[in-house]
């Protein structure tokens, strides 16, 4: 890698040449980067996110970005750029698109929760038609809309480098989801995609049917997020039918849907035969005790591949939770389980306390911790592991990376 001797010096010179004021936040991050002794061998990610600071910082604007990329054009050792929670608009997206077309070293780009719209999405997606280095792109929370999402779907038919794409909370719609599913029947490089919270005007679950059809033929996708799709048992059944034929998917996120016990039965039947799925996220559904027992029976008797299960906030009582705890005694593969938000009675507290007492369940692999009051065992809430990578979680390193998000070990496509 070629190394620029002083990023901060080049930044100050660029501000003078372009007659732009210096952003003290960018200046400080570049000064810290200059002190990094490993930049010439490992590369670095410039962390310019506007939300992970105890002291407020001047957020990056379109003009700030124009100066920054003029400096980064000569800094081949900068392989990642975190610009989340800033003030970038479509004008900033145009600057970034030009940079992506010219840059040959950037592998990670985080633009989540800026103010990029449809035209900005078109420019960035267009740049990725020719870019051959970017591996991970996060667009979460930018209101690119259905048409903006369509540009990314078209890009997936051409780009063969991108491995992880995050379009969650981007206001995409029915046409975008169908186009993305069709594109992924052809794309052989994408490993992970987040399609959480689309804006759907129908209850017919057409999108789930198309995604299921894609999973029958796609052999590269490892991680799939379908949270807040208003998915019901019909959609779960379509997905499960497809996953009987799929041998690549390892992380399935179905959180915040309308799945009840019948949907959990389809998933339990799938777990009896599936040999690849390792993480299943069912947060904020309503599988209740019957659904939890379906899952526990599959895990106790047949499944030996699932490593992490989340049933947070599913209206499960002690009967279902104890069944899941008992399944862990006979299933040595399942290492992570998350149960907070259900009805934790005495039997639940005793069962999970015993799992941790015999070291079958490690403290950093669950979201509860036992404690005693007057001789009685209770469970307190801990950080929820599977959710640590999401946008609303603290961006500081609160726990070890492996415990914070199990998907990091499954799709190691970036340092984030």
């Amino acid at each position: 890698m070629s190394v620029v001797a002083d990023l901060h010096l080049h930044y100050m010179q660029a501000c003078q040449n372009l007659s732009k004021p210096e952003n003290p936040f960018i200046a400080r991050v570049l000064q810290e980067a200059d002190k990094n002794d490993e930049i010439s061998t490992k590369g670095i990610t410039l962390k310019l996110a506007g939300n992970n600071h105890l002291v407020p910082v001047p957020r990056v604007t379109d003009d700030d970005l124009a100066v920054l990329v003029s400096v980064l054009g000569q800094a081949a050792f900068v392989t990642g750029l975190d610009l989340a929670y800033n003030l970038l608009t479509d004008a900033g997206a145009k600057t970034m698109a030009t940079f992506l077309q010219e840059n040959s070293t950037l592998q990670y780009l985080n633009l989540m929760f800026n103010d990029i719209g449809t035209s900005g999405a078109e420019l960035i997606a267009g740049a990725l038609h020719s870019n051959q280095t970017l591996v991970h792109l996060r667009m979460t929370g930018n209101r690119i809309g259905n048409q903006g999402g369509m540009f990314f779907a078209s890009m997936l038919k051409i780009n063969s480098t991108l491995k992880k794409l995050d379009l969650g909370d981007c206001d995409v719609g029915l046409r975008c989801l169908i186009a993305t599913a069709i594109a992924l029947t052809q794309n052989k490089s994408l490993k992970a995609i987040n399609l959480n919270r689309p804006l759907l005007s129908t209850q017919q679950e057409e999108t789930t049917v198309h995604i299921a059809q894609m999973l029958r033929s796609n052999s590269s996708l490892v991680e799939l997020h379908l949270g807040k799709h208003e998915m019901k048992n019909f959609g779960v059944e379509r997905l499960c039918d497809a996953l009987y034929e799929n041998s690549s998917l390892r992380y399935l996120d179905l959180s915040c849907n309308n799945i009840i016990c019948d949907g959990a039965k389809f998933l339990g039947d799938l777990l009896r035969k599936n040999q690849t799925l390792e993480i299943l996220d069912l947060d904020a559904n309503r599988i209740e005790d019957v659904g939890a027992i379906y899952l526990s029976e599959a895990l106790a008797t047949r499944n030996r591949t699932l490593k992490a299960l989340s049933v947070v906030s599913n209206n499960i009582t002690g009967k279902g939770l104890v069944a899941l705890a008992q399944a862990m005694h006979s299933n040595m593969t399942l290492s992570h389980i998350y149960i907070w938000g259900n009805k934790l009675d005495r039997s639940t507290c005793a069962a999970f306390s015993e799992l941790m007492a015999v070291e079958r369940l490690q403290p950093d692999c669950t979201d509860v911790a036992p404690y005693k009051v007057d001789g009685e065992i209770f469970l307190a809430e801990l950080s929820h592991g599977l959710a640590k990578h999401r946008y609303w979680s603290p961006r500081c390193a609160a726990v070890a990376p492996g415990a914070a998000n199990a998907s990091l070990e499954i799709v190691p496509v970036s340092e984030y």
Side-chain angles (χ1 to χ4, degrees), residues 104-176:
S104 60
T105 59
L106 197 69
Q107 298 176 34
Y108 170 66
L109 177 60
N110 187 349
L111 295 173
M112 65 195 298
F113 283 89
N114 281 276
D115 295 315
I116 298 172
T118 301
S119 59
E122 180 180 10
L123 293 166
I124 292 174
L128 294 180
H129 285 208
S130 55
N131 180 281
Q132 296 183 356
T133 57
L134 194 69
V135 173
H136 186 179
L137 174 63
R138 302 197 73 178
M139 293 293 296
T140 323
N142 289 286
R143 295 185 177 182
I144 65 175
N146 194 65
Q147 187 57 49
M150 292 288 287
F151 292 123
F152 281 103
S154 298
M155 176 272 296
L156 289 174
K157 295 180 179 179
I158 299 170
N159 183 286
S160 60
T161 307
L162 199 66
K163 292 184 179 179
K164 195 164 187 175
L165 176 62
D166 192 338
L167 295 178
D169 295 87
C170 283
D171 293 353
V172 302
L174 176 65
R175 288 175 57 241
C176 169

Side-chain angles (χ1 to χ4, degrees), residues 25 28-29 32 44-50 52-53 80-83 108 395 415-416:
F25 174 39
R28 190 184 77 228
V29 170
E32 293 172 357
I44 60 170
T45 293
L46 295 180
K47 298 183 178 181
L48 294 163
N52 60 338
H53 306 276
L81 197 54
D82 185 350
L83 292 164
Y108 170 66
R395 295 171 60 83
E415 61 83 35
Y416 184 64

Side-chain angles (χ1 to χ4, degrees), residues 265-291:
K265 184 178 187 302
F266 296 131
L267 289 165
D269 292 340
L270 173 68
L271 290 175
R272 283 181 164 86
K273 297 181 180 179
N274 182 277
Q275 298 298 314
T276 55
L277 201 63
E278 296 182 7
I279 302 175
L280 178 59
D281 189 347
L282 292 173
D283 278 14
N285 283 284
R286 201 173 181 85
I287 68 170
E288 301 184 325
D289 287 339
V290 175

